[in-house]
Amino acid sequence: MCGLCGELRFDGRVSDLNAVRQMTQRLERRGPDHDGSYSDGPLGFGHRRLSIIDLSEHANQPMVDQALGLVLVFNGAIYNYPSLREELRGMGYHFFSDGDTEVILKAWHAWGEQCVERLQGMFAFAIWDQRKRQLFLARDRLGIKPLYYAHLNGSFRFASNIQAILAPGGVDTSVDPVALHHQFTLHAVVPAPHTILKGVRKLPPGHCLLIDEQGNRTERRYWSLPATRPAESMSDDEWLEAIHDALRQSVQKRNEISDVPVGVLLSGGLDSSLLVGLLAEAGVSDLRTFSVGFEDHPDEKGSEFEYSDQVVEMYATDHHKYLIPNTEVLQRLPDAVDAMAEPMFGQDAIAFYLLAEQVSKEIKVVQSGQGADEVFGGYFWYPRMMAETDGTPVQRFAKHYFDRDHDEFRQMVTPDYRGEDHTSLKIAGLLAEPEAGAFMDAVLRMDVTTLVVDDPVKRVDNMTMAWGLEARVPFLDQQLVELAVRCPPELKLREGGKYPLKAMARGLIPDAVIDRPKGYFPMPALKYVRGNFLHFMRDILESRVCRERGIYSPAYVNMLLASPEMHLTRLQGSKLWHLALLEFWMQRNVDGVS
């Protein structure tokens, strides 16, 4: 896991190495172990390395293979690299390192663009072909690893976060009105290629991009996800057994494909607890687990220690538990916002940031439970959507998910941003994509391929990598997802959702963890906004720079400030926090206000 960046010029000039250096500096926290750069005429690469697989200097990046005329910068982990390596050796390739990075280089030489279809794991990478003078970029199927880019006058710039893209200047940082509509409707999800800034785009998951020295570009979708029933019907028991086997394999390979120890972020919920149980089932004895909690609120508990402690006791894990006071949450909020590649509304972003800070002192890799709710239907709104029979597919979805309807969005923003209902159009298109058996098949597929990418997955990547901590997400394993998306929704949503996981968890983890109401990483202070947190948000939204930016209607802001706890989204998020967070992110990351 690392941070990458680069520039390709189309105007006859050599790459600006100072710009590449500025970009690389903004990636330092993603890769504290090594700093590297490379240039070849119009092309410049920068890389920050977090050493996980092959800890030697032979695996440092940018990786140059002079014999093949190829150069690579890579972020991620390829879990099937040992078998690919053996296949490539059989084809006559020789290796000078022992990790997954060089396997990508040889795979590109052997199979060209089709190499991405052979890679299993999480990845974003760029390959420069010195002979063909072409730049190739690719992103993994489920968007676990980020890849942003900007088209400038005479050049193309790319990086692992927006901050690196912005560092050398020259990027249009005005607000993208389509992204703004998505941001406030989909709980901060802005589907690719958009970002909140007009001048910055992101490569969609499951896509690759080829660019030559003249700026000619070809983008290709190399993976799609059919959500139809298998040709041969399967009984419930057969589905449960197949899912159990696939998840077991996913957890095992994410534990084994590493040259450093791997721990587990243990929230106390079903998903992360099940990871511990499956690792123990596989014979892993030195389990390391990590939990974080916050101060209780009169209306909501601030931790799930009562559940995570039961899992710890059951397996006698080497456990680390951290309780964070509200004073520290408020004090550290600016740091967490600085670590966000894009503005994130999830209340648990700061939780992951503070947890990752502590975990990174003990270990470099963890497994985490993100994706289980989307893949196996764990959220409370899924049964409600399935029971909904009136209206179009997008209306059935929006009624139980959208943070705001289009009318409220128009009330929230100033006239310049009152355009079309961009989000309904986007969701309607995603739900109408072919190869979905029924409405809930389409919903769950969309969630896995679009919504999870730019909410929990991005949040965990950003917050952990801010401390040089790699988070692996076994519930988003390619083979597991391709299996689960074809499982009947009725089976997944049985007993309130995630039935296959609950069934396999029996006997592996305490029943109290399985049967408890679904929890969400609690951060009460950002939901029930009072006291110093309210003053903090008021100062942001009443600031001169916020007024001059001109996004929000003053009347709407005043309404939220007058009674913040009265205005929550359908997903129980604070609408006031949403407005304050976006503005604060813009001030910190675009305006440079500290």
Side-chain angles (χ1 to χ4, degrees), residues 445-486:
R445 178 179 63 182
M446 176 181 68
D447 219 340
V448 170
T449 57
T450 304
L451 303 183
V452 71
V453 174
D454 279 294
D455 189 12
V457 168
K458 178 173 66 183
R459 189 160 65 245
V460 171
D461 172 83
N462 286 191
M463 298 299 104
T464 55
M465 288 306 295
W467 297 105
L469 177 68
E470 175 174 303
R472 297 178 170 183
V473 283
F475 290 106
L476 292 178
D477 177 82
Q478 176 194 344
Q479 285 74 31
L480 176 64
V481 168
E482 289 175 342
L483 172 68
V485 77
R486 305 186 76 178

Side-chain angles (χ1 to χ4, degrees), residues 276-429:
V276 175
L278 289 170
L279 286 168
E281 183 185 52
V284 178
S285 57
D286 57 338
L287 288 165
R288 305 184 187 192
T289 53
F290 304 86
S291 300
V292 67
F294 300 88
E295 290 182 28
D296 291 342
H297 183 277
D299 299 316
E300 187 173 301
K301 291 182 69 66
S303 80
E304 298 186 335
F305 291 156
E306 63 180 294
Y307 299 107
S308 57
D309 286 349
Q310 295 180 51
V311 178
V312 169
E313 181 179 359
M314 185 172 186
Y315 289 109
T317 70
D318 178 4
H319 189 56
H320 300 257
K321 183 164 62 175
Y322 310 102
L323 183 63
I324 310 295
N326 282 343
T327 52
E328 185 174 351
V329 173
L330 188 56
Q331 179 185 350
R332 303 298 299 281
L333 259 177
D335 297 335
V337 171
D338 289 349
M340 296 177 180
E342 301 175 71
M344 305 173 191
F345 294 160
Q347 300 163 19
D348 59 359
I350 180 66
F352 276 109
Y353 181 82
L354 296 174
L355 175 59
E357 178 182 21
Q358 300 302 322
V359 175
S360 66
K361 298 173 183 178
E362 307 289 337
I363 207 165
K364 295 177 76 171
V365 186
V366 290
Q367 297 202 44
S368 187
Q370 276 63 45
D373 286 301
E374 290 80 5
V375 174
F376 292 102
Y379 292 125
F380 68 83
W381 49 85
Y382 292 137
R384 296 179 184 179
M385 289 178 187
M386 189 160 68
E388 194 74 45
T389 56
D390 296 332
T392 64
V394 71
Q395 288 170 338
R396 293 171 66 184
F397 179 84
K399 181 177 179 180
H400 302 285
Y401 188 89
F402 282 8
D403 284 342
R404 296 161 186 78
D405 60 25
H406 184 56
D407 288 341
E408 184 179 351
F409 177 85
R410 288 175 57 83
Q411 295 171 13
M412 183 189 77
V413 298
T414 54
D416 287 346
Y417 295 100
R418 294 173 187 166
E420 291 185 83
D421 187 354
H422 300 291
T423 306
S424 290
L425 292 171
K426 178 67 175 180
I427 297 300

Side-chain angles (χ1 to χ4, degrees), residues 35 45 91 172 208 224 233 237 297 467 471 473 507:
D35 177 10
F45 277 164
M91 297 169 65
D172 181 357
C208 54
S224 60
S233 62
D237 287 343
H297 183 277
W467 297 105
V473 283

Side-chain angles (χ1 to χ4, degrees), residues 244-254 256 477 479:
H244 193 162
D245 288 343
L247 181 56
R248 183 189 296 115
Q249 293 175 29
S250 174
V251 171
Q252 286 178 330
K253 63 188 172 187
R254 281 160 181 78
E256 294 168 356
D477 177 82
Q479 285 74 31

